[in-house]
Amino acid sequence: MKYRVKHLVEYGILRFSMGLLRLLPKPAAMMVAWLLAAFVHFIIRFRVREAHRRLVEVFGTRYAPREIRRIAWISFRNFFFAAADAIRASDMTPEQARIYPSYIEAMKAIDAVRHQKKGIILALPHMGSWEQSGIVSSLAGYPILSIAGQQRNPLFDQYINRLRATSGSEVILRGNSVLRIILNR
């Protein structure tokens, strides 16, 4: 498969950023994530107009344009924070996962239902560190099935899905047969 130069450059930036975020202590990694988010949002302006459009579509005139811009920035920044958390969590051990208070509470709740020998559907919206939630759940021994959209950059797509799979998550690409695949699990 032949890749476009754009794909190779994006992939190189992704791998460099991921390596850097893994090496740094968490506060420094979050600062780098903030700086990357600010650069992409305010300088490159990647998908900013689309974010504003969607917010107006959802909220209508509830918020002034200034507040729409603020919400878009905070959402964008939080996406980068979640990505940094997921990158750092991909090397996490089960022992390290147990230090998260939300992990302990979630595992108690899941175990309370799991002993009934019924399946559990845990839907994680794109809020907080959704990728980290899947990694932590998988480390706890819970089989995780992730539904993901295919990325435009095939190198980026392959790498992210490989990263998800190394934590034990099974990745299913969003499409027409997703429901049938899920029901057959």
Side-chain angles (χ1 to χ4, degrees), residues 29-94:
M30 292 299 123
M31 179 55 74
V32 169
W34 189 95
L35 290 169
L36 286 169
F39 177 74
V40 173
H41 184 82
F42 294 114
I43 306 298
I44 296 176
R45 312 266 315 147
F46 178 72
R47 296 186 59 96
V48 171
R49 193 173 296 156
E50 176 67 9
H52 293 176
R53 185 193 66 74
R54 287 182 178 185
L55 287 166
V56 169
E57 184 179 306
V58 170
F59 294 115
T61 59
R62 180 175 174 186
Y63 296 110
R66 181 178 181 191
E67 190 65 12
I68 290 290
R69 288 191 301 274
R70 188 177 90 66
I71 293 168
W73 158 243
I74 290 170
S75 299
F76 204 84
R77 180 203 64 195
N78 289 349
F79 175 81
F80 273 76
F81 286 168
D85 271 342
I87 290 163
R88 295 173 56 76
S90 65
D91 295 330
M92 189 182 292
T93 66

